[in-house]
């Protein structure tokens, strides 16, 4: 059976076999994209794909906040699907070597199908999406997982994907850009930087498990806690013209926060020989630095737990979703007092290496975000650092709990769960 080194060699071969090129361009060179005169929103001529608009957010809760920002509006539900099949009784997953313009190394392992509705209905007039028929009823399959998950509530406005894992019952045609891998192989690849993309991690985390030992809180108690957290936060959002956003400045090459924090909107030109469309231009969101996405972990009565957070993001459909202990870009908080910094951020960012149970750099969704990387971590803590009765908004859960139920877990939770060594 091929090992991790063999898969990496195959990815290198696919990278060398196809021409990839991504370059920054000024907004004036975008083809098919333009700024709407009255609003300043960045829109596609087809009226599809996505738009870059403005969002005003107000949060009333423990720490009332209000801000304005650019946001990606893409209300159609995409398909993130992994096709599975058994070989000699062992379940394998069909993974794609896929180029995304925002990936730092361009080509990474992605789900079998990773496509927005605009893509798979061929608004771009390109080639058909391979293996799509297994996820839309065209081929007989056994459904292993099928849930709607939100995506990046800090950068997307109410964006959701249909995360699917389906098992083929018949023969599956082969293609050189796809390879069957076991769950063990994927687990090994998840320990490498920038190999398994965000969408693949999100789908793999929805794989049904076999249950587990007793947790501190039952699934019913966990869902009740999430409902209570949603009830105590009031989040008001309003889509507003991008041109009128406070503290954001548009130049010929980018739209930036005036203090050079958070992220910026840029434009790129792309060439990719193995995509449904081989040449295009598009806008992307680019953060200013690498983020941290981390779980603090402890063991209670022999059972590993991770500390989850009820996370509020302006782009969520339902105010609060289950997130990791820490999900932040540290530089965004360098100017604020310690009391306003995210809880546990210092614990995970300065952890002794002997306490780090997992650490790898993974990129975020390369189809919409440029060079967006986060260090994904699992850090062991003690009672003084992370007590059994955590601060408000946090709850201990086990990997065998149900964080990836529909509309309860952030994409960061699901892709973090895929990396969990527990």
């Amino acid at each position: 059976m091929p090992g991790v080194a063999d898969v990496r060699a195959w990815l290198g071969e696919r990278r060398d076999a196809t021409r990839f090129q991504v370059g920054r361009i000024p907004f004036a060179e975008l083809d098919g994209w333009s700024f709407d005169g009255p609003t300043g929103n960045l829109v596609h001529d087809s009226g599809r794909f996505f738009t870059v608009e403005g969002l005003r957010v107000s949060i009333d809760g423990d720490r009332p906040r209000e801000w304005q920002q650019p946001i990606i509006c893409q209300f159609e539900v995409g398909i993130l699907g992994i096709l599975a099949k058994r070989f000699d009784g062992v379940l394998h997953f069909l993974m794609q070597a896929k180029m995304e313009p925002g990936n730092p190394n361009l080509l990474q392992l992605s789900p079998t199908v990773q496509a927005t509705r605009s893509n798979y209905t061929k608004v771009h007039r390109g080639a058909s999406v391979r293996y799509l028929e297994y996820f839309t009823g065209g081929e007989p399959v056994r459904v292993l997982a099928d849930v709607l998950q939100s995506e990046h509530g800090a950068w997307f406005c109410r964006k959701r994907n249909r995360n699917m894992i389906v098992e083929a019952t018949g023969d599956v045609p082969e293609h050189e850009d796809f390879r069957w891998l076991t769950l063990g192989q994927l687990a090994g690849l998840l320990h490498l930087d920038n190999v398994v993309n965000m969408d693949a991690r999100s789908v793999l985390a929805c794989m049904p498990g076999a249950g587990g030992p007793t947790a501190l809180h039952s699934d019913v108690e966990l869902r009740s806690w999430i409902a209570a957290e949603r009830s105590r936060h009031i989040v008001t959002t309003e889509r507003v013209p991008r041109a009128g956003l406070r503290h954001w400045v548009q130049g010929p090459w980018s739209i930036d926060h005036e203090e050079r924090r958070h992220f910026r909107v840029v434009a790129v030109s792309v060439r990719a020989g193995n995509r449904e469309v081989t040449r295009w231009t598009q806008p992307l969101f680019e953060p200013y630095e690498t983020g941290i996405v981390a779980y603090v972990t402890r063991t209670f009565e022999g059972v590993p737990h991770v500390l989850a957070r009820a996370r509020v993001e302006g782009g969520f459909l339902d105010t609060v979703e289950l997130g990791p202990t820490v999900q932040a870009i540290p530089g965004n908080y360098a100017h604020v007092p310690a009391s306003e910094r995210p809880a546990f951020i210092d614990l995970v960012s300065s952890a002794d290496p002997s306490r780090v149970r997992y650490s790898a750099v993974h990129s975020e969704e390369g189809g919409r975000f440029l060079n967006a990387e986060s260090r994904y971590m699992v850090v062991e803590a003690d009672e003084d650092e992370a007590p059994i009765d955590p601060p408000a908004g946090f709850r201990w859960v086990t990997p065998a709990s149900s964080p990836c139920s529909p509309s309860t877990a952030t994409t960061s939770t699901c892709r973090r769960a895929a990396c969990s060594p527990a």
Side-chain angles (χ1 to χ4, degrees), residues 388-411:
I388 191 171
D389 293 319
F394 292 85
R395 185 60 56 98
W396 290 105
V397 303
T398 68
S401 299
S402 301
C404 289
S405 300
S407 301
T408 63
T410 68
T411 304

Side-chain angles (χ1 to χ4, degrees), residues 36-60:
D36 175 69
T39 65
N41 295 343
L42 190 51
V43 300
H44 193 265
D45 293 349
S46 67
R48 302 288 295 276
F49 298 108
F50 63 94
T51 60
V52 178
E53 305 181 18
L55 188 72
R56 181 186 296 124
V57 183
S58 175
I59 298 177
D60 183 13

Side-chain angles (χ1 to χ4, degrees), residues 333-403:
Y333 302 93
H335 65 293
V336 303
S339 60
E340 297 182 21
R341 289 166 56 81
F344 302 102
I345 190 170
D346 295 327
L347 170 64
V348 300
S349 60
S350 61
D352 187 283
S354 64
R355 290 190 171 193
V356 178
R357 298 292 171 257
Y358 175 88
S359 178
V361 174
H362 295 303
S363 57
E364 306 306 321
E365 212 285 312
R368 297 292 179 266
F369 311 132
L370 179 63
N371 297 324
E373 295 179 294
S374 295
R375 178 161 292 281
Y376 283 72
M377 305 178 69
V378 176
V379 177
E380 188 172 9
D382 58 29
E383 170 66 22
D384 292 333
E385 296 165 325
I388 191 171
D389 293 319
F394 292 85
R395 185 60 56 98
W396 290 105
V397 303
T398 68
S401 299
S402 301

Side-chain angles (χ1 to χ4, degrees), residues 170-186:
D171 293 335
V172 177
E174 295 184 0
H175 188 275
E176 59 189 356
D177 287 330
F178 296 77
R179 175 164 287 197
W180 294 103
L181 300 175
T182 66
L183 199 58
Q185 289 172 313
L186 290 167

Side-chain angles (χ1 to χ4, degrees), residues 8-331:
R8 294 188 71 181
W10 169 70
L11 284 170
E13 292 170 1
R14 300 319 306 152
R15 186 178 291 111
D16 294 339
T18 307
R19 181 181 181 184
F20 301 122
Q21 183 177 348
V22 178
R24 297 174 187 264
I25 58 174
F27 291 127
E29 294 183 13
L30 282 169
D31 182 17
W33 296 85
S34 60
F35 290 101
D36 175 69
T39 65
N41 295 343
L42 190 51
V43 300
H44 193 265
D45 293 349
S46 67
R48 302 288 295 276
F49 298 108
F50 63 94
T51 60
V52 178
E53 305 181 18
L55 188 72
R56 181 186 296 124
V57 183
S58 175
I59 298 177
D60 183 13
D62 300 332
R63 293 173 52 198
R65 291 171 288 159
E66 189 275 330
W67 72 89
Q68 298 181 12
Q69 66 169 89
I71 197 83
I72 298 173
C73 294
Q74 184 176 351
F75 299 111
E76 57 189 32
V77 176
I79 292 178
L80 303 180
I82 294 181
L83 183 62
K85 185 174 174 61
R86 295 184 184 275
F87 296 94
D88 297 326
V90 178
L91 197 63
H92 287 64
F93 302 89
L94 188 60
M95 309 301 294
Q96 179 181 181
K98 186 179 181 69
M99 178 273 188
E100 292 287 359
N103 289 341
N105 56 351
L106 293 183
L107 190 141
Q108 297 183 17
L109 279 179
S110 83
T112 318
V113 169
Q114 176 184 322
T116 66
R117 183 173 178 81
S118 290
N119 287 141
Y120 66 75
T121 57
K122 297 197 284 188
V123 172
H124 50 43
R125 299 179 182 178
S128 298
V129 176
R130 295 186 188 277
Y131 304 107
L132 179 65
E133 61 274 15
Y134 291 93
F135 303 92
T136 55
E139 290 286 341
V141 296
R142 186 169 74 93
V143 177
L144 303 182
D146 190 353
V147 293
L148 290 177
Q149 295 292 338
S150 64
E151 183 174 359
H152 280 291
W155 292 340
F156 276 112
C157 183
R158 302 185 175 184
K159 172 72 168 66
R160 294 194 297 175
N161 290 312
R162 188 179 177 189
N163 284 19
M164 304 177 67
I165 303 175
V166 300
E167 184 177 354
T169 58
D171 293 335
V172 177
E174 295 184 0
H175 188 275
E176 59 189 356
D177 287 330
F178 296 77
R179 175 164 287 197
W180 294 103
L181 300 175
T182 66
L183 199 58
Q185 289 172 313
L186 290 167
L189 292 164
L190 282 167
H191 285 265
L192 305 178
D193 293 350
N194 286 320
V195 172
V196 183
N197 81 358
M198 186 215 76
D199 296 301
R201 302 194 306 272
S202 175
V203 178
L204 289 168
C206 297
M207 185 72 183
T214 302
L216 286 176
H217 307 284
S218 69
D219 286 357
V220 172
E221 291 172 332
L222 180 58
R223 294 191 182 100
S224 176
W225 171 71
I226 293 172
E229 289 293 317
R230 287 175 170 172
S231 299
R232 74 183 185 92
H233 291 87
I234 299 175
V235 180
T236 304
T237 61
E238 179 186 4
R239 291 162 62 194
V240 297
R242 187 212 53 83
L245 292 176
R246 297 198 307 267
H247 308 305
W248 293 85
V249 181
Q250 180 177 336
W253 289 79
S254 62
I255 300 168
D256 298 82
H257 190 273
E258 61 186 16
E259 296 180 351
R260 299 283 173 168
R261 294 201 306 269
H262 307 297
F263 62 92
R264 58 187 173 187
V265 184
V266 299
V268 296
S269 174
V270 185
R271 291 186 180 184
N274 67 344
R275 291 290 298 264
E276 293 85 9
V277 173
T278 57
R279 299 183 64 176
W280 72 93
T281 65
Q282 69 170 96
L284 293 170
F285 278 27
E286 182 181 30
Y288 280 99
E289 64 177 86
T290 299
I292 295 177
V293 178
Y295 267 134
V296 169
T297 183
R298 286 187 61 193
T299 298
F300 300 103
E301 297 184 2
V303 181
H305 286 66
V306 294
L307 187 59
R309 181 178 185 180
R311 182 171 176 83
V312 180
E313 293 185 357
F316 285 157
L317 276 164
D318 200 353
T319 63
V320 166
E321 295 189 7
L322 200 63
T325 317
V326 176
Q327 180 182 334
I329 296 177

